[in-house]
Amino acid sequence: MPLQNSVALDPDLGLGPDPEEKMTEEQAVKLRDLTSRADEPFDGSLTRRQAERRIAHLEEYLG
């Protein structure tokens, strides 16, 4: 019998939202502010994970 990853199979563990879902409104607001300050275009189609990475990059860039 193959081993199964019990973490991936148990929805009761509360692992949080799917990172491939559309970014949250909070992320969109923060990203809109950061892209404006960096004079870069805002992309409203990012996933949660992509938005998280973009926010981190822009925060580092802007100091």
Side-chain angles (χ1 to χ4, degrees):
M1 176 181 230
L3 294 175
Q4 295 180 354
N5 184 344
S6 61
V7 172
L9 298 176
D10 188 353
D12 295 328
L13 289 177
L15 298 176
D18 181 357
E20 297 308 315
E21 290 179 359
K22 187 175 177 181
M23 77 172 114
T24 65
E25 184 61 33
E26 182 179 320
Q27 286 176 312
V29 168
K30 188 168 190 172
L31 191 54
R32 200 172 280 117
D33 175 58
L34 291 169
T35 54
S36 175
R37 290 177 32 209
D39 197 28
E40 293 191 9
F42 170 76
D43 182 356
S45 67
L46 299 178
T47 65
R48 286 177 183 233
R49 181 175 291 148
Q50 290 169 328
E52 184 179 301
R53 290 176 180 164
R54 184 80 174 121
I55 289 168
H57 170 78
L58 287 167
E59 286 177 332
E60 184 178 329
Y61 173 75
L62 293 169

